[in-house]
Structures are given as structure tokens and as C-alpha cells.
Amino acid sequence: MAACSSDSSDKGSGGGSTPKTSVAKITVFPADGTTDASFTEPVRVTVADGKLGSVGVTDSTGKAIPGQLSADAGSWTSSGPLASGTKYTVAAVAADRDKLEADANTSFATATPANTFVGYFTPEDGSTVGVGMPVSIRFNKAVTDRQAVQEAITVVAEPGVEIVGHWYSSTRLDFRPETYWAKGTRVTLKLRLKDVEGVKGVYGTQSKDVRFTVGRSQTSVADLKAGTLTVTTDGQVTATYPIIGGAPEHRTWAGKLVVSEQFPQTKMDSTTVGLGDEYNIPDVPHAQRLTASGTFIHGNYWAPASAFGKANLSHGCIALQDVKGAADPNTNGAKFYRSSMAGDVVEVINSGDKTVDPSNGLNGWNLSWADWNAGSAV
């Protein structure tokens, strides 16, 4: 019978004993359940009466946020950026001096910024463009931290070439190589503006890639003294057209002008460019914009045929002979338009006017490479 009895003082017995609990105490910042944590502040995990063994911070997709454990294993601080409007989970394990483990499993969400900015880009994703097309980004709010914003934007090309950004103003940043793109180049604009503080308290929202391709190489020279437009495609002269340029009182800008928009027909009204009521033509055929201020190369059906190649009569535009209605594919205006694409370059020489302002349209090629680089913030 004695064999069936037990001694309650026997230390080998598990009856009624309580397992020891770790005295290590883990604290996580931001606190568990926070819904508006700052995405500009790091996650910080600390332990009292113990040492941290492992800390993991992940977003809702499972992506881990990197961090650094202190030398004494008493704290861990995230080193990678957090994203706004995102939920995170934290899992931490620590051990006290008796090797007993404690853990913490918490979650929090970062705030969505109240004030944001975006960049509107040219050219469009998936487009095919001419060799003179820059990457142009216009911001909807004035940027004060140009370096931070420019560092968040990269432009890469295949085949590779150096590409540099240039700030025209606090709302416009363009990128280009030293010389025109090679035909067939594949270009990628990488916008990583999300949560970049462009202005104090104002954050970017975009994280996306934009890809475009450079088509065949076509540049043209408009010689307003000779009255000719000479078109060179892939190294060969493919056409020469008689043209009309700006009259002495309305000379055409000189320099390298990039086609930014194309219209089969468009209305041209002198009141929109500060020239009073000198003209109002509702159906200008085969028009291609060369400056933001209103310079076009376009078809013209109202000037006498004898004027083309012989006289400069326009209000600053370059004109090729065409017909009303833009319906004849055999006119010079139609043929040049059909051969062109956005990003092509029309270089104007012998116009008698000064070189176009590089910021007037997509015309940064009129800056030297040194001057272009001087406009970079990085």
C-alpha cells in the first residue's frame, strides 16, 4: 500500500507547480493598434530585463522592413522606409538572464498624408517617339526639396547612355542625354515619389514605371533664308519642301524645336497668343506644335502658291503648302505630317530671331551639356 502513496514535498513531482515566466518585457513603438502612425518615423523595439533575439516587421504583402539590433541587444530600430497608408505587423522575441523567452506580436497602420503632390509626365507609357523627345515632368505643387525629388526619379535607357535631370523651375524637371537618342532606344522612367517630402508636409504618391521607345531617326532643317525644309531620315535626305516662315515683324524662333503635339486639323486664333485679331483660322491642316507659346509647323491653304520657298509671311509659324480640309494626302503639308511623330526635331536656321527659350516647349536641346548639367539637383 505504501507503494501507492506520494510525498507532496517531492520536488520531482509536477503536481500543483507553476512554470517560471520570463521577466523580459518587450515594448514596441508604434503601439499595438495604432492607426495613424507616422510613416517618416522608424519602428523601435526595446526590451527591459533581457536581450532581444529576433525582430521582424512586415507589411501586408509579407515584405520585410530591414532594421538594426543594438550592440547590447537591448533595442532594434528599423532602417528601411515605411509606406503611408499601410498595415504592418511586428513579431519580437527576447530572453531574460535565465534564458526564458518572452514574445510580442503587435500590429499598426501608418497614416495617409493629408497633403500630396504628383508629377505629370511626357511622353506617355507605351508610346513611340522621335529622337529629340525628352522626359518632362510637371509637378502640381512647387517643389522645395529638389534633391529629394530628383533622387526619387531615374531614367534609364537600353542601350545605356548617361541621362541627366534639369530643373527649369520648382514645378518642372526634364531629363535627356547629351545628344539625341539613338533610334530603337528603349527608355524607362522610374517614378519612386511615394512618401517623398517634396515640400514641407507635402508628400508624393506615385510609384510606377513608364516605358517608351525611340522610333526611326528623323530631323529636319528649316532654312528660312533659302525657304526650304530638308528632312533627313535615318541618315538620308528623304524630302525637301518649300516653306514660308515668320515675317520680319513676327520672326520664327531659331534653334532646335521638338514636335510636342500633332493635330490633323486645329483652330488658330491670334487672340490666344497676344496678337489681337490678326487672324482666326478654324481649320489649319496638319499642324504640329513646336513651342508652348504657339509656334507650329503646319499646312497652309490660304497663302498663294508662289509664296512658298520665296517669302516669309507668317506670324512666326512654319508653313507648307496644303489644301483646305486636309483631305489631299499628296500635299507637302500632308506628306511631312505623315512622316513625322512627336519627338522629332525641326531645327530653324537663318530666321533672324533669337534662339527659343529652352523651357518653351520641349526644347532643352538648345542648352549646352554643361548648362544642362548645371540645372541638376543631384
Side-chain angles (χ1 to χ4, degrees), residues 18-186:
T18 303
K20 287 188 177 180
T21 302
S22 175
V23 297
K25 181 175 175 55
I26 301 171
T27 302
V28 178
F29 174 85
D32 188 31
T34 301
T35 58
D36 58 353
S38 171
F39 54 86
T40 63
E41 298 291 328
V43 178
R44 185 171 171 82
V45 181
T46 60
V47 63
D49 298 320
K51 292 187 177 183
L52 288 168
S54 66
V55 177
V57 180
T58 55
D59 66 15
S60 56
T61 69
K63 177 184 176 183
I65 304 300
Q68 185 70 41
L69 189 66
S70 64
D72 65 359
S75 67
W76 181 95
T77 305
S78 63
S79 56
L82 300 180
S84 63
T86 302
K87 184 177 180 179
Y88 291 92
T89 58
V90 181
V93 177
D96 64 14
R97 67 178 63 187
D98 294 326
K99 310 300 184 185
L100 294 173
E101 289 189 343
D103 58 38
N105 293 281
T106 67
S107 64
F108 68 90
T110 51
T112 298
N115 295 309
T116 61
F117 73 92
V118 296
Y120 299 101
F121 50 84
T122 297
E124 292 299 315
D125 187 35
S127 58
T128 299
V129 300
V131 296
M133 176 63 77
V135 173
S136 185
I137 304 167
R138 296 176 184 269
F139 301 103
N140 66 336
K141 294 182 181 173
V143 170
T144 54
D145 193 341
R146 297 188 185 188
Q147 180 178 345
V149 169
Q150 189 174 336
E151 286 178 342
I153 301 172
T154 54
V155 181
V156 296
E158 296 180 31
V161 64
E162 182 184 11
I163 302 165
V164 175
H166 179 94
W167 290 88
Y168 286 116
S169 68
S170 60
T171 57
R172 181 175 174 189
L173 171 63
D174 282 20
F175 290 82
R176 71 166 177 88
E178 183 174 2
T179 58
Y180 298 148
W181 304 106
K183 70 175 183 177
T185 298
R186 296 179 298 278

Side-chain angles (χ1 to χ4, degrees), residues 21-366:
T21 302
S22 175
V23 297
K25 181 175 175 55
I26 301 171
T27 302
V28 178
F29 174 85
D32 188 31
T34 301
T35 58
D36 58 353
S38 171
F39 54 86
T40 63
E41 298 291 328
V43 178
R44 185 171 171 82
V45 181
T46 60
V47 63
D49 298 320
K51 292 187 177 183
L52 288 168
S54 66
V55 177
V57 180
T58 55
D59 66 15
S60 56
T61 69
K63 177 184 176 183
I65 304 300
Q68 185 70 41
L69 189 66
S70 64
D72 65 359
S75 67
W76 181 95
T77 305
S78 63
S79 56
L82 300 180
S84 63
T86 302
K87 184 177 180 179
Y88 291 92
T89 58
V90 181
V93 177
D96 64 14
R97 67 178 63 187
D98 294 326
K99 310 300 184 185
L100 294 173
E101 289 189 343
D103 58 38
N105 293 281
T106 67
S107 64
F108 68 90
T110 51
T112 298
N115 295 309
T116 61
F117 73 92
V118 296
Y120 299 101
F121 50 84
T122 297
E124 292 299 315
D125 187 35
S127 58
T128 299
V129 300
V131 296
M133 176 63 77
V135 173
S136 185
I137 304 167
R138 296 176 184 269
F139 301 103
N140 66 336
K141 294 182 181 173
V143 170
T144 54
D145 193 341
R146 297 188 185 188
Q147 180 178 345
V149 169
Q150 189 174 336
E151 286 178 342
I153 301 172
T154 54
V155 181
V156 296
E158 296 180 31
V161 64
E162 182 184 11
I163 302 165
V164 175
H166 179 94
W167 290 88
Y168 286 116
S169 68
S170 60
T171 57
R172 181 175 174 189
L173 171 63
D174 282 20
F175 290 82
R176 71 166 177 88
E178 183 174 2
T179 58
Y180 298 148
W181 304 106
K183 70 175 183 177
T185 298
R186 296 179 298 278
V187 184
T188 302
L189 163 65
K190 299 181 178 181
L191 291 168
R192 298 295 181 267
L193 292 169
K194 181 173 170 57
D195 300 336
V196 173
E197 192 174 19
V199 190
K200 185 172 178 58
V202 182
Y203 297 88
T205 63
Q206 295 159 296
S207 183
K208 66 183 302 180
D209 289 350
V210 177
R211 296 179 175 85
F212 64 92
T213 303
V214 180
R216 82 289 176 270
S217 172
Q218 180 165 299
T219 60
S220 303
V221 175
D223 185 337
L224 298 192
K225 184 176 181 181
T228 56
L229 178 73
T230 303
V231 183
T232 299
T233 309
D234 292 335
Q236 301 294 321
V237 174
T238 50
T240 301
Y241 302 110
I243 57 174
I244 293 171
E249 62 273 25
H250 300 293
R251 296 191 189 276
T252 305
W253 296 115
K256 299 169 182 175
L257 307 174
V258 174
V259 173
S260 59
E261 292 181 288
Q262 296 179 294
F263 305 95
Q265 282 194 135
T266 192
K267 178 180 180 179
M268 292 189 179
D269 182 350
S270 58
T271 61
T272 64
V273 291
L275 293 177
D277 58 358
E278 294 196 23
Y279 61 87
N280 188 346
I281 306 169
D283 54 359
V284 177
H286 300 119
Q288 303 186 74
R289 180 182 291 277
L290 300 177
T291 69
S293 62
T295 308
F296 283 77
I297 184 166
H298 60 77
N300 178 310
Y301 62 79
W302 53 91
S306 58
F308 292 89
K310 302 295 184 183
N312 289 322
L313 307 171
S314 81
H315 289 81
C317 290
I318 300 166
L320 298 91
Q321 194 168 8
D322 213 325
V323 296
K324 186 178 177 66
D328 186 346
N330 298 311
T331 66
N332 289 341
K335 287 188 285 186
F336 179 66
Y337 182 90
R338 195 163 57 247
S339 76
S340 300
M341 66 175 60
D344 284 351
V345 181
V346 177
E347 183 173 5
V348 179
I349 62 174
N350 298 321
S351 74
D353 205 350
K354 62 183 179 181
T355 300
V356 66
D357 184 324
S359 67
N360 186 1
L362 302 176
N363 298 321
W365 303 104
N366 295 289

